[in-house]
């Protein structure tokens, strides 16, 4: 069965610092991969997705993620954190041919001024 | 920009009562989903719906749950006899055909007392 592991339930960085949120998946074949963000009292918003095209994927708000098959990873990065990036971030996998999303536990990102 | 809407935003009900959670997916979308998130836990898949029938469901989606698309625009989740452990945030999502991202609604917080 597909699973997703997000290392670190809580990450804290200073404003302007690099953001790195880790995601590893388990799958026998490369799945489709997604990062979603959830701001307080809001739904899940797509940041970016990987669907078997370029391994470096750029998303909204300056975020990007790199698919590394050898490491079964899809880590999310942003070069310079803004206060507005404070939110909960979810990595999700959708097995090819399946419909559902399988989510990781989420990582709460806090930005320190 | 089109969005998925959900009503109500918060529903409080007594144990054993029936509840119906309502969703209006994006109009040209073909696949519909319900997920739930118990406080402090990961987002979990409940059910997917396509072409007026359930295409996949999780172990959580037992006989107490049902879904319906009664009029071509609404998509509902019914829980026949609520339990305390049904208390959670319920998210509706929809997508077009193909390996595309799911668009999520803002969620309905269900509290069972």
């Amino acid at each position: 069965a597909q699973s997703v592991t997000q290392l670190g339930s809580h990450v804290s960085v200073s404003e302007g610092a690099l953001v790195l949120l880790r995601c590893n998946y388990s799958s026998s074949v490369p799945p489709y991969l997604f990062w979603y963000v959830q701001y307080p009292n809001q739904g899940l918003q797509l940041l970016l997705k990987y669907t078997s095209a370029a391994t470096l994927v750029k998303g909204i708000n300056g975020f990007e993620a790199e698919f590394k098959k050898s490491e079964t990873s899809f880590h999310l990065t942003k070069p310079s954190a803004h206060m507005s990036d404070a939110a909960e971030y979810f990595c999700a996998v959708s097995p090819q041919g399946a419909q559902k999303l399988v989510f990781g536990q989420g990582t709460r990102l806090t930005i320190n001024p | 920009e089109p969005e998925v809407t959900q009503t109500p935003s918060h529903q409080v009900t007594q144990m054993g009562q029936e509840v119906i959670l309502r969703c209006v997916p994006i109009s040209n979308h073909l696949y519909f989903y319900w997920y739930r998130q118990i406080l402090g836990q990961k987002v979990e898949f409940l059910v997917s719906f396509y072409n007026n029938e359930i295409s996949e469901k999780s172990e959580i989606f037992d006989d107490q749950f049902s879904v319906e698309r009664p009029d071509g625009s609404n998509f509902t989740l019914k829980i026949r006899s609520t339990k305390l452990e049904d208390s959670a945030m319920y998210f509706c999502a929809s997508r077009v055909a193909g390996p595309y991202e799911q668009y999520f609604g803002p969620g309905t917080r269900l509290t069972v007392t």
Side-chain angles (χ1 to χ4, degrees), chain A residues 19-23 35-36 47-48 63-66 74-78 89:
Chain A
V19 175
L20 171 60
L21 305 182
R22 298 177 188 274
C23 172
W35 275 99
Y36 283 86
L47 275 178
L48 48 79
F63 284 93
E64 63 181 36
E66 186 173 9
F74 190 56
H75 302 331
L76 182 70
T77 60
K78 181 173 180 178
Y89 291 79

Side-chain angles (χ1 to χ4, degrees), chain B residues 36-55:
Chain B
R36 79 172 186 189
Q37 184 181 29
I38 295 172
L39 189 63
Q41 298 186 23
K42 65 171 69 176
V43 177
E44 301 173 288
F45 167 77
L46 292 178
V47 65
S48 59
F49 191 85
Y50 170 71
N51 201 25
N52 285 319
E53 62 183 23
I54 290 174
S55 47

Side-chain angles (χ1 to χ4, degrees), chain A residues 45-91:
Chain A
Q45 180 184 3
L46 181 75
L47 275 178
L48 48 79
K49 63 183 180 184
Y50 168 77
T51 55
S52 307
T55 56
L56 182 62
V57 180
K58 294 187 184 299
I60 62 171
N61 301 338
F63 284 93
E64 63 181 36
E66 186 173 9
F67 171 69
K68 291 188 177 180
K69 182 179 176 182
S70 61
E71 298 178 7
T72 60
S73 69
F74 190 56
H75 302 331
L76 182 70
T77 60
K78 181 173 180 178
S80 177
H82 293 167
M83 296 299 292
S84 60
D85 294 328
E88 185 100 19
Y89 291 79
F90 294 93
C91 182

Side-chain angles (χ1 to χ4, degrees), chain B residues 53-97:
Chain B
E53 62 183 23
I54 290 174
S55 47
E56 188 176 359
K57 61 182 180 180
S58 71
E59 292 178 353
I60 303 167
F61 195 89
D62 61 21
D63 291 343
Q64 293 299 313
F65 291 87
S66 62
V67 290
E68 192 178 32
R69 188 157 160 79
D71 56 14
S73 61
N74 291 283
F75 180 49
T76 62
L77 174 69
K78 180 162 68 175
I79 309 174
R80 287 191 189 81
S81 178
T82 50
K83 308 182 185 77
L84 293 176
E85 54 264 37
D86 293 328
S87 294
M89 180 73 87
Y90 288 80
F91 292 106
C92 173
S94 67
R95 71 171 174 89
V96 295

